[in-house]
Amino acid sequence: MTSLVDEFRAAARQAGATADDGDLAAAGEYLLARWSEPQRHYHTVAHLSAVLDVVESHAELAPHPERVRLAAWLHDAVYDPRALGDANERDSAEFAEGLLTTLGVPAGTAAEVARLVGLTAGHATEADDPDGELLCDADLAVLAGDDAAYASYTAAIRREYAHVPDDAFRDGRAQVLEALLELPSIYRLDPLRAAWEERARANLVRELEVLRPA
């Protein structure tokens, strides 16, 4: 956990935070506590770490990797499985801008991180947005996992939505998968698309066949 807090502190500093190290560390610890809330089964510290690992491995693809790192930290800072629509993403974006401003990150940078966080609602980016593309690709990396990893992911998602009856869950989950499959490409950045696109689409199609059998 300490290394993650150090990573948050470094990213915040690179983004222009003026708060002292103690306040930055406290903010990192607070975020980790949020990522450890009991209602989370997939959107956990493990997911945060996985997204950060992808961002770090491909940081050269983004003009502002420190903003992408902060957006990774904050993209699920608010997570309530009972929330409707994109409320979690909108609330996380608002929270991100407020927290970063409090830590002394320049207003324009804080707003840009909030914009990146908001992109994770639908994972649809505009042209010429490599920062957004890297964040969205990293967030969706799990879709390209092997059979065991993908099964673990879908099981964790179902646990988060244990309050939803089976029929309603299957319908809602199928809509999410169909929306992803309708994207021109699940992954936007060329190296990640080449590595992950085919596997991710196969995983989504297979899950959709289970959710909506012919």
Side-chain angles (χ1 to χ4, degrees):
M1 292 297 187
T2 301
S3 61
L4 279 175
V5 171
D6 289 343
E7 289 179 24
F8 174 79
R9 185 166 49 195
R13 278 277 180 256
Q14 290 162 5
T18 58
D20 63 36
D21 282 350
D23 286 343
L24 293 178
E29 295 283 3
Y30 176 67
L31 287 171
L32 288 177
R34 279 182 168 265
W35 282 92
S36 303
E37 293 164 338
Q39 77 275 17
R40 298 170 183 256
H41 298 277
Y42 170 67
H43 295 87
T44 64
V45 173
H47 171 58
L48 168 63
S49 296
V51 172
L52 288 169
D53 285 348
V54 174
V55 172
E56 197 60 41
S57 296
H58 301 281
E60 76 282 356
L61 300 176
H64 306 100
E66 73 287 349
R67 298 178 185 178
V68 184
R69 292 184 186 103
L70 289 175
W73 269 92
L74 290 154
H75 79 284
D76 286 321
V78 177
Y79 187 73
D80 178 2
R82 296 177 184 270
L84 300 177
D86 63 353
N88 284 323
E89 290 84 2
R90 287 187 286 105
D91 289 347
S92 292
E94 182 179 354
F95 173 80
E97 188 165 4
L99 175 67
L100 295 178
T101 300
T102 299
L103 295 175
V105 173
T109 300
E112 175 60 13
V113 172
R115 183 192 72 82
L116 293 173
V117 169
L119 291 176
T120 62
H123 299 96
T125 57
E126 300 293 333
D128 193 27
D129 185 10
D131 287 340
E133 290 172 337
L134 179 55
L135 177 66
C136 289
D137 285 1
D139 193 30
L140 296 177
V142 66
L143 301 181
D146 61 23
D147 290 351
Y150 194 82
S152 177
Y153 154 67
T154 57
I157 291 292
R158 185 65 184 105
R159 289 196 298 275
E160 286 187 341
Y161 288 89
H163 60 282
V164 179
D166 286 344
D167 287 349
F169 177 80
R170 283 194 295 268
D171 185 60
R173 178 69 180 168
Q175 291 180 40
V176 170
L177 301 186
E178 288 165 347
L180 287 167
L181 287 167
E182 287 170 2
L183 292 171
S185 177
I186 295 171
Y187 303 105
R188 288 80 169 169
L189 296 172
D190 289 343
L192 302 182
R193 183 167 56 248
W196 296 341
E197 185 78 17
E198 183 176 356
R199 178 71 186 183
R201 286 190 174 271
N203 283 336
L204 295 180
V205 168
R206 186 172 63 251
E207 184 185 358
L208 195 56
E209 289 172 347
V210 173
L211 294 169
R212 288 184 172 169

